[in-house]
Amino acid sequence: MGAPATSLPRIAAIEALYEDEEFSHRELAALVASKVFYHLGDLDDALSYALGAGGLFDVNARSEYVQTILARCIDSYIEARVKEAEGAADAQQPDPRLVAVVERLFERCYADGQFEQAVGIALESRRLDQLERAITASPDAERTLKYALDVSQRLVVSREFRHQVLRLVIRLYEGVARPDLSAICQCLMLLDDSDAVATILFRLLGGSDDETLLAYQIAFDLVDAELSAFMLKVNAKLDQLAPAAPKPEAPAAAGGEGGAAAAPAEGGEQMDTDAADQAAPAAAAGQAAEAEASPFSKRLALFKTILNGDVPIELERQFLARHNAADLQILKNIRGTVEPRNSVCHSATVFSNSLMHCGTTVDTFLRDNLEWLKKATNWAKFSATAGLGVIHRGNVGKSRTIMAPYLPSAPGGSTPSAYSEGGALYALGLIHTNHGHDVRQFLLDSLRATQHEVIQHGACLGLGVAGLGTCDEEAFEDVKNVLYMDNAVAGEAAGLALGLLYAGSGTDKAAELLAYAHETQHEKIIRGVAVGLALVQYGREEAAEPMVEQMTRELDPILRYGGMFVLGLAYCGTSNNAAIQKLLHFAVSDVSNDVRRAAVLNLGFVLASTPEQCPRIVSLLAESYNPHVRYGAAMAVGLACAGTGMREAVALLEPLVKDSVDFVQQGALIALALVLVEQPESRAKPLREHINRLYGNKASEVMTRMGAIMAAGILDAGGRNATVGLRSRSGHFRRTAVLGLALFTQYWYWYPLSYCVSLAVQPTALIGVDASLRAPKDFQVVSNCRPSQFAYPPPVKVDDKKDKGKLPTAVLSTTARAKARAAKKAKEAGKEPGAAGEAMETDKPAGEGAAAEGAAAGDKAEGEGKEKAEGEGKKEAEPEPSSFTVDNPARVAPGQRKFISLPDGQRFAPIRPAPSGFVLLRDTQLDAGPVEYLFQEDKPAAAAAPAAPAEPAVPAAPDAAPAGDEPPPPEPFEYIPS
């Protein structure tokens, strides 16, 4: 805005007075000039003269002028400080006058008690001295420390400065009267200081009972971050600190199998032995060793069952199985609308069932539809078998038994097909996600013993998922040998597996892999290696820049495609402006549609920490003429806003659901399901209704129907008791979840990778455990909201018109008349014709009840969940209570967490209240008698494994499937002319 011509001489006169060094009121002239320029809209000159006003510029004033100039001042100071810290070429020392104003602003914050504001300015301007002063001067230092820790993880862009802040926070935490050891361990984990974490935990385990409970709580928090390599180093350090501890560890763990939920670790290693012969001696030896073990050894043994993941996995599995509320009628309706020859929708239905029952061990749908499953052939058979790994995720104790009929070492009978073998090895990895120590050697042996590309493909994927982030050198070499065989099918999986094994490590081996990507001629291998390199660079931020620069400048569009994922995963959750600018540049300028789609999609990973910004940033891209860009925009919003239910995200995605291009509709449906998973039914109901209209609409494109079926599975993930969570309950990003979603997006090229979305599934549970790591029944929480607000969706009504599991049998009129006469005679005789045979096909609820009788414990819970939902519907007339009590373990939806409170007077009290996750409980009434624990009644059934050997036989159908794609001929019938 220019100044009026008549005012220019007056402004010039004021400026001249300020520049006259002999003028006694120079500062007043500067202040007047600053205000004039401010009203003229020239903020740069207004700031310059305000700095010249010295003490006359009052930072304590509350006028709009002062606040605007202060904001400009802070922005200029932060920019100068960042350039100076990063060593930019145009970096200069901040103006001393600018520094003086900022210092006065800090003083004002301290005087007004605005310590959190001072923390924010100090972090943005990289002033560690002022950060320390703000924390120490605060009357509530612990609260300010927690705020500083949270803000530093969300807003500090520089990784190096963030680590400096973490070290300062640790030092200040140690100086308070009661240091928060849990927060200190979280900081040390982010700094990758495993030795310090192990030292703190070792000290706590040797302390009082309350300190031991705190050590257990910290262990649960560390495991929730899913950093396998870090956990292994902590475990190794604990062994060094307590060299005698490993001896009692095994018997203690065996004894815990009957008490704590630690059985899975031992079960997997004894699958090939005669358990009946060894059970009694092992139990006796375990009891003797437990009696001799010291209290510290017992504590350490229990602690390691947490750190190894055995206890958390088993407790979550029990929760998902007991609370399973998945509606089988949805799957039956989908199955009834899928044409026999439509392999795309058939595979999508199998995927939907797997994710809908993720972790529940409920495979009723598969058992009830064996004939339908037989239609899966080749890679569809591979995927169907791998789906068992999603259903039984976490069932690590019986994984080998469950998958035995399909594994290469299956005893007796005919040899399973290579596609079933490969899918079974992949399924083993999915079952042991991030905790593959029990199956590592088996997967390695299977990989070494075969030369079949499909089996190698499954073994590589299984090994990568099970050993995610472990930096296993031996496995790396074996998988690399498969890669160098230059087989397109096996090589693609090998490239991905190498990235998974060294996820987030930034290993130097990445250069070797990139060199091989230049040498091979197979596009599948190049893509697998490119995405694998992105996994290696996860969370590396500035350290990944050399790889980003190299891959984004490649001539091969596949390598540039991988470069987009390197950029997105390296800066995941940082909201880094430079990374966002690069991705936007490629999104609008690259000549390859694949690269443009990947660039927009990876904006979702970069903006994961600030999901509210993602819809705004990609809103224009969602209206692009290029459908690939629109698809990327939809998936970016789905990834960044997963599980949030954010209204802005839904508003952006709803128009894309009706896009003119089928794959854009597919991406929008999947993204909407990711956003609305585990949200109140009032929010998800429109999407459910739209999905119901799409999957049965044969006029819709196959890709759209596929997206609708996949979205139905995502929406009800984990039996409606799980969400897609990128963050752990302590606020840090879950590496396994982020990488799982990155692999899930590769379903565009390779459908079996869609099952990797299960890596991001997070149970929405609050599970209280006591010092024995068992869940007591006598623990409850209160949800201060209406029960219907977060209740399960009502069951879907039976639709006989859509439920057509088989092809219709031709029935002639004469046959119909003959049957009618027979029915009439039977009725007169007092019989019920067809009661045995016809009910299995037409009476759907009866069929469900019969299937439920032979299902696992989760089936029973499913029926109870439905009955409960129906019961709630009948009580609509009654006034709904404003709060309700939930027993341990409690289902707590993400939006419900803010309503959770703990009632007073309970026997068990949490050592650290939390609205979700694992909570350690202190027994406040030790003289109240024996404690009654959950899951104990399930243990005999679990040991017998209702069909643990028989459960895997469910997808036996794929093995018996014919080689061709033709449907079976119709049933024979007799033609009787009239």
Side-chain angles (χ1 to χ4, degrees), residues 532-676:
L533 290 173
L535 305 181
V536 170
Q537 300 297 334
Y538 168 76
R540 300 278 296 165
E541 300 182 30
E542 296 92 343
E545 279 300 323
M547 182 66 69
V548 170
E549 289 298 321
Q550 185 174 357
M551 293 186 69
T552 54
R553 296 178 184 273
E554 293 283 354
L555 296 178
D556 189 340
I558 300 178
L559 288 177
R560 293 202 306 276
Y561 170 89
M564 298 301 102
F565 277 90
V566 171
L567 191 55
L569 294 180
Y571 288 97
C572 178
T574 63
S575 301
N576 185 285
N577 286 330
I580 293 173
Q581 289 175 6
K582 287 181 182 178
L583 290 172
L584 290 174
H585 169 72
F586 282 99
V588 298
S589 64
D590 200 278
V591 296
S592 168
N593 284 329
D594 289 346
V595 177
R596 298 179 70 174
R597 183 180 68 249
V600 182
L601 183 149
N602 277 279
L603 286 170
F605 288 119
V606 177
L607 295 168
S609 62
T610 53
E612 64 278 358
Q613 294 185 10
C614 189
R616 176 176 56 83
I617 290 178
V618 304
S619 58
L620 291 178
L621 296 173
E623 300 173 2
S624 170
Y625 71 93
N626 189 323
H628 291 267
V629 174
R630 298 200 298 274
Y631 173 91
M635 290 300 292
V637 173
L639 295 173
C641 305
T644 63
M646 194 172 296
R647 297 185 183 277
E648 295 82 357
V650 174
L652 184 140
L653 291 170
E654 283 178 341
L656 295 177
V657 170
K658 301 176 182 178
D659 196 274
S660 59
V661 180
D662 54 357
F663 65 79
V664 177
Q665 295 180 34
Q666 180 192 88
L669 286 167
I670 293 174
L672 264 176
L674 289 172
V675 173
L676 293 174

Side-chain angles (χ1 to χ4, degrees), residues 317 321 324 360-364 367 392 395 398 851-862 941 945-947 951:
R317 186 188 69 80
N324 176 37
T360 65
T361 68
V362 176
D363 47 20
T364 306
R367 281 199 305 272
H392 291 277
N395 199 3
K398 290 178 281 186
E853 290 180 5
D859 292 330
K860 182 178 178 182
E862 177 187 353
E951 280 175 1

Side-chain angles (χ1 to χ4, degrees), residues 24-111:
S24 58
H25 294 83
R26 288 185 62 214
E27 294 182 348
L28 179 60
L31 182 61
V32 172
S34 173
K35 291 186 176 182
V36 171
F37 280 114
Y38 165 75
H39 287 290
L40 292 176
D42 190 347
L43 297 182
D44 289 332
D45 283 342
L47 172 60
S48 176
Y49 282 107
L51 295 177
L56 293 181
F57 178 68
D58 185 8
V59 297
N60 296 317
R62 302 296 179 181
S63 65
E64 182 181 349
Y65 158 73
V66 171
Q67 298 303 316
T68 304
I69 297 301
L70 281 178
R72 194 76 171 186
C73 177
I74 293 172
D75 290 341
S76 300
Y77 180 71
I78 290 173
E79 182 181 0
R81 286 283 301 173
V82 169
K83 286 184 177 180
E84 182 183 11
E86 295 179 351
D90 57 343
Q92 296 179 352
Q93 288 285 340
D95 189 331
R97 300 175 301 170
L98 193 63
V99 175
V101 172
V102 172
E103 293 292 342
R104 288 159 56 196
L105 182 59
F106 275 119
E107 295 298 332
R108 191 189 82 175
C109 290
Y110 301 144

Side-chain angles (χ1 to χ4, degrees), residues 468 735-745 753 756-760:
L468 194 151
R735 182 176 64 186
T736 305
V738 174
L739 300 187
L741 286 179
L743 290 175
F744 167 70
T745 60
L753 293 177
C756 287
V757 72
S758 64
L759 274 63

